[in-house]
Amino acid sequence: MESARPVKATERMQEAYGLGERLDMDYAPRKIALPQGEGSRREAVEIKRHHLDTNRHVNNGQYVRLAMEYLEEGRFVRQMRAEYKKQALLGERLYPVVYRGDGVTAVSLEQADGKPYCVVEFMQDERQGGDVCDSVR
């Protein structure tokens, strides 16, 4: 725990969790491909204490919350996935870059040099009646 780096789970830990059968479903690639074209750079967000988890890194859910600010109004989120690349710490700035494609909004939360901390992808559809994306905020 002193190094603040992950450690390999022991064999005993691995046995306790076990793996179930693979679900019959479409599996997305591990890496998120950003939609083609130039992304739209947005105002930087400074990491505050309320963004942090008990390890003093940005909580994974906070990356998603930040990315949700850039969803298109009037559309329903049918799927979301995130690719976490680097831990952000207190006082650092995230520079959102928003990409839009065919039914996809992807938000790359980047360092000043353009390297991503996290990429969040939202698959969106037109909603027929009922609540829209801001109902999940």
Side-chain angles (χ1 to χ4, degrees), residues 50-65:
H50 69 272
H51 293 117
L52 305 180
D53 60 21
T54 56
N55 295 317
R56 297 187 299 265
H57 306 125
V58 172
N59 177 281
N60 289 354
Q62 293 292 337
Y63 288 114
V64 174
R65 280 184 190 269

Side-chain angles (χ1 to χ4, degrees), residues 34 66-67 70 96-99 105-109 118-122:
L34 295 172
L66 291 166
Y70 307 102
V97 181
V98 180
Y99 297 84
T105 297
V107 181
S108 181
L109 299 167
C118 180
V119 177
V120 184
E121 176 187 72
F122 299 97

Side-chain angles (χ1 to χ4, degrees), residues 18-106:
L19 294 176
E21 301 241 351
R22 189 173 172 98
L23 297 175
D24 182 26
M25 60 182 258
D26 292 332
Y27 287 85
R30 194 173 76 76
K31 303 261 184 195
I32 295 175
L34 295 172
Q36 293 294 320
E38 189 75 22
S40 171
R41 293 185 96 40
R42 304 299 173 91
E43 187 176 331
V45 176
E46 183 176 348
I47 299 304
K48 307 284 188 190
R49 270 188 236 126
H50 69 272
H51 293 117
L52 305 180
D53 60 21
T54 56
N55 295 317
R56 297 187 299 265
H57 306 125
V58 172
N59 177 281
N60 289 354
Q62 293 292 337
Y63 288 114
V64 174
R65 280 184 190 269
L66 291 166
M68 286 175 68
E69 292 297 316
Y70 307 102
L71 288 173
E72 292 181 279
E73 296 294 327
R75 296 178 61 88
F76 173 74
V77 175
R78 67 176 166 81
Q79 179 179 321
M80 184 282 307
R81 63 191 188 116
E83 180 183 350
Y84 305 99
K85 296 182 174 253
K86 184 178 189 304
Q87 299 167 347
L89 305 172
L90 182 65
E92 292 182 334
R93 290 184 176 277
L94 277 60
Y95 297 84
V97 181
V98 180
Y99 297 84
R100 298 201 196 280
D102 186 29
V104 176
T105 297

